[in-house]
Amino acid sequence: MAELGELVRSVRKRRALTQQELADLSGVSLARIRQLETGGHQGVRLATLRKLAVALRVRTSVLQPGGSTDAEHASPATADIWEPVRRALVAPDNPRRDDEQPPSADVEGSLAALAALDEAHRYADVAAMLPDLIADANTLGDEGREIRARVLRFTAHSLVQNRQFDTAALTVDRAVDAAADPETVMGAINALIWSHLRQGNLDAARRLAEHWADEVEPQRFSRATPKELARWGKLYLYIANVAVRDNSPGATDDALSVARAAAVRIGREAVFERLPLRAFGPVSVAHAAVESAVIAEEPTRALAIAERLPQAIPAANVAARLRHRLDVANAHAQLRQWPEAMGTLAELRTAAPEWLTQQRYARDIVQTVVSERRTLTPDMRELADFVNLEY
């Protein structure tokens, strides 16, 4: 398998471009291109590869010979918080006497309580309570198999949110193995696709999303329930998400078109998964269109779409909705509208502080502002520290 530097050099020559011409076309510095072509490509960001792919007229994944290039794993502090959860997942079952086993209803109630904490983005509290819930779920017999699967699905979601990717992948496998309910299976699969996207594993995310989109496609579109349409449409949003990162604009538009058809059929934002809460509908598709425009570096179009959205959005504090606000902040940053970009980030800090500190995307936006502005306001300096921006 060719190394990244060899690939960039080979495709550049095929396109009859000098290194300087590639730098001019891509916006990647000449020094960085020289470094890449001579083998110094540790830690290459997916956004950088996409810029090169656009200039070279290839898919981004062509320049990913070793798979992921964009993974940002948990900080040591976050890893320490989640260590008890990892231990609980690998602990051997310890059967209890019948009089010690928690009723299934108690486990369900505890799971609902943790989901409420997750929706409030109180991840440290979730991590503190999850080990006991996993242990209780493991004591349930065959009648508790589906509850155990839901606990594992929720755990996988929480692990991905907190950048514990390897443990999350193993937990997804266990959840799918235990689950019989399609909602539980698809919840686990969604967590795994999301994990691949957070790490920049484009081919893996695409394959998984396309496979399951085929599996759950409604047989009769006109008779499909809102949940069936939402599960299917959500997978096409993932496909669009992969395609725009992979420099495939035609595939992006096609996937968004399919998702939009499902959303129009539903006619509203529909909750298709609980514990954690996930919704899909016209607003979700519009958010995906904004994200695609920002990734394609079309900030004016992104903001135009965002400004047409309703102010009152269902499940506005769910992570997917918060992510949309990061896209808006990034669009402002691309237009060098620094106060608007930082103001949006400040709003997110107030709404979901624990969530914001887990977002590499937020650090990237703040880094752009810090790099481009001659001086920083006190609020900008404080926000840079809050999102753990490195010096």
Side-chain angles (χ1 to χ4, degrees), residues 57-298:
R57 304 193 306 278
V58 296
R59 286 171 46 189
T60 310
S61 53
V62 169
L63 303 180
Q64 285 188 301
S68 173
T69 61
D70 215 30
E72 184 194 40
H73 292 274
S75 67
T78 298
D80 287 346
I81 290 171
W82 287 85
E83 177 60 26
V85 175
R86 293 193 293 273
R87 288 201 303 268
L89 287 167
V90 300
D93 290 343
N94 185 20
R96 304 180 189 180
R97 300 192 310 270
D98 289 343
D99 60 347
E100 292 179 330
Q101 291 183 3
S104 296
D106 287 356
V107 177
E108 290 272 28
S110 296
L111 178 57
L114 260 68
L117 291 174
D118 177 82
E119 289 175 26
H121 313 293
R122 292 168 53 184
Y123 304 127
D125 291 337
V126 171
M129 296 173 63
L130 255 179
D132 285 343
L133 180 60
I134 293 168
D136 286 345
N138 285 341
T139 67
L140 301 176
D142 289 342
E143 74 285 353
R145 178 177 172 179
E146 192 62 39
I147 299 172
R148 188 161 54 251
R150 288 198 289 273
V151 169
L152 290 169
R153 177 197 65 183
F154 174 81
T155 302
H157 160 86
S158 298
L159 289 165
V160 175
Q161 179 65 70
N162 289 272
R163 294 173 288 151
Q164 317 275 310
F165 301 120
D166 293 342
T167 308
L170 296 174
T171 307
V172 165
D173 288 343
R174 290 177 58 189
V176 171
D177 180 62
D181 182 0
E183 180 174 319
T184 306
V185 172
M186 287 313 306
I189 295 300
N190 280 332
L192 187 55
I193 298 171
W194 176 37
S195 176
H196 284 311
L197 281 170
R198 288 201 76 177
Q199 296 175 81
N201 292 327
L202 297 182
D203 279 341
R206 178 193 294 106
R207 288 195 300 269
L208 199 58
E210 288 178 345
H211 169 79
W212 283 97
D214 288 342
E215 287 288 316
V216 305
E217 181 177 0
Q219 296 301 307
R220 295 285 298 273
F221 194 81
S222 61
R223 295 184 180 180
T225 66
K227 276 192 175 183
E228 289 171 339
L229 289 169
R231 289 178 193 140
W232 183 59
K234 177 62 176 177
L235 288 164
Y236 270 93
L237 290 187
Y238 282 132
I239 293 170
N241 199 301
V242 172
V244 69
R245 285 171 167 77
D246 205 16
N247 188 33
S248 303
T252 304
D253 291 342
D254 290 346
L256 285 174
S257 179
V258 173
R260 193 173 291 112
V264 168
R265 180 68 186 175
I266 297 170
R268 56 181 171 80
E269 289 295 296
V271 173
F272 67 96
E273 182 184 336
R274 297 187 183 276
L275 310 177
L277 183 68
R278 294 182 190 269
F280 173 85
V283 172
S284 297
V285 176
H287 284 177
V290 170
E291 182 177 19
S292 295
V294 170
I295 293 170
E297 299 187 38
E298 299 174 358

Side-chain angles (χ1 to χ4, degrees), residues 291-321:
E291 182 177 19
S292 295
V294 170
I295 293 170
E297 299 187 38
E298 299 174 358
T300 301
R301 182 165 72 91
L303 290 175
I305 298 169
E307 287 166 3
R308 292 196 298 268
L309 290 172
Q311 294 299 309
I313 297 175
N317 216 36
V318 170
R321 309 310 194 204

Side-chain angles (χ1 to χ4, degrees), residues 120-121 123 322 347-359 386-387:
H121 313 293
Y123 304 127
L322 299 176
E347 292 170 5
L348 286 169
R349 178 183 177 181
T350 299
E354 282 195 58
W355 177 85
L356 191 64
T357 60
Q358 296 294 334
Q359 306 308 309
F386 181 78
V387 299

